[in-house]
Amino acid sequence: MKKIIVAATLALLTLPTLASATDIKPYAGIGLGGFGLEYTDTTGSINKTAFGGYANFGADFSDYFGAELRIGATGSVSKALSTTTLTLKVPSFFSYLAKVQFPATPDFKLYGLVGGTTAGFKGTNTRGFNSTETKTGLSYGAGADYTVQDQLSIGAEWVQYWNKVNLPTTWGTNAEAKIWGAVITAKYQF
């Protein structure tokens, strides 16, 4: 996975050079906010929100289409169950997303995202369980951006990074995980 992240980062770093020759508009930014970490199996469930964030790198290929890569992580959440306390976190995630946009005004646009997320989902409990499962799930979401200066925009979005991703039986019978994020964003366009 480290090789993929390095290759993707290097590819995105070349976008400012390409932008001068074409209509591509590269950008970099951050998103910070709440990330829902949800886990269920036949014995119970946990559904809590942790603070988290990501750095994103992308390009708008036109007023209507773009692509983006994200690298992020979340804090941890815990819940006391009948015989133990379960703690969950996402120590890292990597998303690769296609973006469809609609410029409502010259300074305000709405967008939809679809793609995938490879994430490490970590679980520990007070009885000695300690496991990190790296899985890939379908990602989708929507957001809005408002341009406050020529190259700076702020916004908000909601993204479902994982939806019902199956975990191994070491986690529990019929174990599934979900990850979603609702964040405030800031983006600088080159």
Side-chain angles (χ1 to χ4, degrees):
M1 182 162 143
K2 288 181 183 179
K3 290 179 184 178
I4 293 171
I5 293 170
V6 170
T9 302
L10 291 174
L12 286 172
L13 290 175
T14 63
L15 287 176
T17 306
L18 295 172
S20 62
T22 65
D23 213 12
I24 297 173
K25 297 175 185 164
Y27 61 86
I30 61 169
L32 297 172
F35 282 77
L37 305 180
E38 301 180 21
Y39 168 81
T40 59
D41 65 21
T42 54
T43 62
S45 66
I46 181 172
N47 181 353
K48 296 216 173 189
T49 304
F51 180 76
Y54 61 79
N56 60 340
F57 311 94
D60 292 333
F61 303 117
S62 72
D63 286 341
Y64 301 99
F65 299 103
E68 184 171 305
L69 298 174
R70 297 178 176 190
I71 301 167
T74 74
S76 60
V77 296
S78 296
K79 181 178 179 182
L81 302 173
S82 60
T83 60
T84 187
T85 298
L86 178 63
T87 300
L88 301 173
K89 75 182 290 186
V90 177
S92 66
F93 68 87
F94 180 68
S95 299
Y96 24 93
L97 305 163
K99 182 168 61 169
V100 178
Q101 340 184 80
F102 174 73
T105 71
D107 293 331
F108 182 73
K109 68 180 167 185
L110 302 171
Y111 61 87
L113 299 166
V114 66
T117 297
T118 300
F121 195 77
K122 182 174 184 172
T124 59
N125 70 23
T126 53
R127 299 178 75 188
F129 174 76
N130 186 350
S131 180
T132 302
E133 292 299 323
T134 301
K135 297 270 191 168
T136 300
L138 175 68
S139 303
Y140 53 89
D145 271 334
Y146 178 74
T147 303
V148 293
Q149 292 181 351
D150 285 342
Q151 296 174 298
L152 181 65
S153 65
I154 58 172
E157 69 175 24
W158 175 87
V159 175
Q160 184 78 49
Y161 290 100
W162 276 9
N163 189 22
K164 296 185 178 182
V165 170
N166 293 325
L167 298 174
T169 55
T170 54
W171 282 69
T173 306
N174 298 325
E176 292 181 336
K178 295 181 184 180
I179 305 168
W180 57 263
V183 300
I184 302 297
T185 63
K187 179 171 73 174
Y188 181 80
Q189 198 153 11
F190 301 103

